[in-house]
Amino acid sequence: NAGVTQTPKFQVLKTGQSMTLQCAQDMNHNSMYWYRQDPGMGLRLIYYSASEGTTDKGEVPNGYNVSRLNKREFSLRLESAAPSQTSVYFCASSGGQGVGYTDTQYFGPGTRLTVL
Amino acid sequence: AQKITQTQPGMFVQEKEAVTLDCTYDTSDPSYGLFWYKQPSSGEMIFLIYQGSYDQQNATEGRYSLNFQKARKSANLVISASQLGDSAMYFCAMREGRISGAGSYQLTFGKGTKLSVIP
């Protein structure tokens, strides 16, 4: 049981290049999330997906697109990378139901992205 | 106004002693959840403990406990018997709204507290 996995772990891009960050979870969770973490800023939500086929904007969606490919996979795309997108990106998932359910989010290991 | 405030950028604690990390929150929703996560230097985010707004008792998970004071809107994390492996960043986060079936519930994070455990 791997939990939440992310690829790649590290990436360096030049301004204007595009790339897709991949995320997969094996916990059968319905909801998936993308966050970015900048120094001194905590984590901020970029996009989220409540279920397969649905996506919604979070706090900082500009410059990003997402795809919920299926229940397991949720990708984040940077169409034209900018230095301001240099950050650590985390994917998370949550799901379940019933008494005592708390909707705890479980995080992947992160992708460290540098845009030159 | 910030929804989650962690006023201690950095804290030091002696090994084997207890430490309290502060977290205050701001919401007008009567239903909410509070979470604490640990981020070691390796970078991953590790879930530690959860407290629901309607929970009557303070949450506990091993050496972690949550000092929940609803009227003061505070949810402080208490780590007992600190260990060297507790050195990390600690983040407080809040989910607003009652969980009702399918749906996504966004987390709002504080800026974190860096805890250093001294041998």
Side-chain angles (χ1 to χ4, degrees):
Chain A
N1 205 352
V4 181
T5 57
Q6 293 182 234
T7 55
K9 286 187 169 51
F10 301 93
Q11 185 72 47
V12 178
L13 293 178
K14 294 181 179 178
T15 297
Q17 287 185 318
S18 62
M19 79 159 296
T20 299
L21 281 63
Q22 306 287 354
C23 174
Q25 52 92 9
D26 63 3
M27 295 179 282
N28 201 33
H29 285 166
N30 286 320
S31 300
M32 297 186 74
Y33 312 79
W34 277 105
Y35 292 87
R36 62 178 286 173
Q37 183 180 27
D38 302 303
M41 294 293 290
L43 275 75
R44 293 182 293 169
L45 184 64
I46 304 171
Y47 271 94
Y48 63 101
S49 170
S51 61
E52 185 179 348
T54 69
T55 60
D56 285 288
K57 295 178 180 179
E59 181 185 355
V60 288
N62 291 344
Y64 305 95
N65 286 301
V66 291
S67 295
R68 183 75 182 267
L69 304 170
N70 47 55
K71 189 171 185 177
R72 290 186 64 248
E73 298 173 289
F74 189 37
S75 63
L76 178 72
R77 182 161 179 84
L78 287 69
E79 290 291 352
S80 179
S84 60
Q85 294 178 305
T86 294
S87 190
V88 180
Y89 291 86
F90 287 97
C91 178
S93 72
S94 65
Q97 57 188 356
V99 175
Y101 173 58
T102 62
D103 200 53
T104 296
Q105 293 184 22
Y106 296 93
F107 285 79
T111 294
R112 188 174 295 273
L113 175 67
T114 301
V115 183
L116 302 174
Chain B
Q2 287 188 19
K3 290 198 172 186
I4 296 287
T5 302
Q6 295 181 253
T7 56
Q8 307 151 314
M11 291 275 289
F12 290 90
V13 64
Q14 205 75 37
E15 193 177 7
K16 300 181 185 177
E17 292 188 349
V19 63
T20 298
L21 306 183
D22 294 341
C23 172
T24 57
Y25 59 92
D26 182 25
T27 182
S28 57
D29 197 317
S31 299
Y32 53 90
L34 297 157
F35 301 80
W36 278 92
Y37 287 86
K38 172 184 178 181
Q39 186 177 42
S41 58
S42 52
E44 69 269 32
M45 294 288 289
I46 302 167
F47 166 68
L48 295 178
I49 196 167
Y50 167 82
Q51 180 83 43
S53 60
Y54 295 113
D55 293 343
Q56 295 296 314
Q57 294 187 322
N58 288 343
T60 60
E61 289 286 350
R63 293 187 299 110
Y64 304 108
S65 61
L66 205 152
N67 183 0
F68 181 47
Q69 297 187 45
K70 197 169 180 177
R72 297 180 60 186
K73 294 189 174 179
S74 74
N76 298 338
L77 177 70
V78 181
I79 305 175
S80 64
S82 296
Q83 301 172 356
L84 296 178
D86 294 333
S87 294
M89 284 289 289
Y90 289 81
F91 291 94
C92 180
M94 176 173 65
R95 179 211 71 234
E96 294 177 274
R98 179 183 289 275
I99 299 173
S100 56
S104 288
Y105 303 91
Q106 301 178 49
L107 286 181
T108 302
F109 283 82
K111 295 184 178 182
T113 295
K114 184 174 183 179
L115 178 66
S116 300
V117 181
I118 304 165

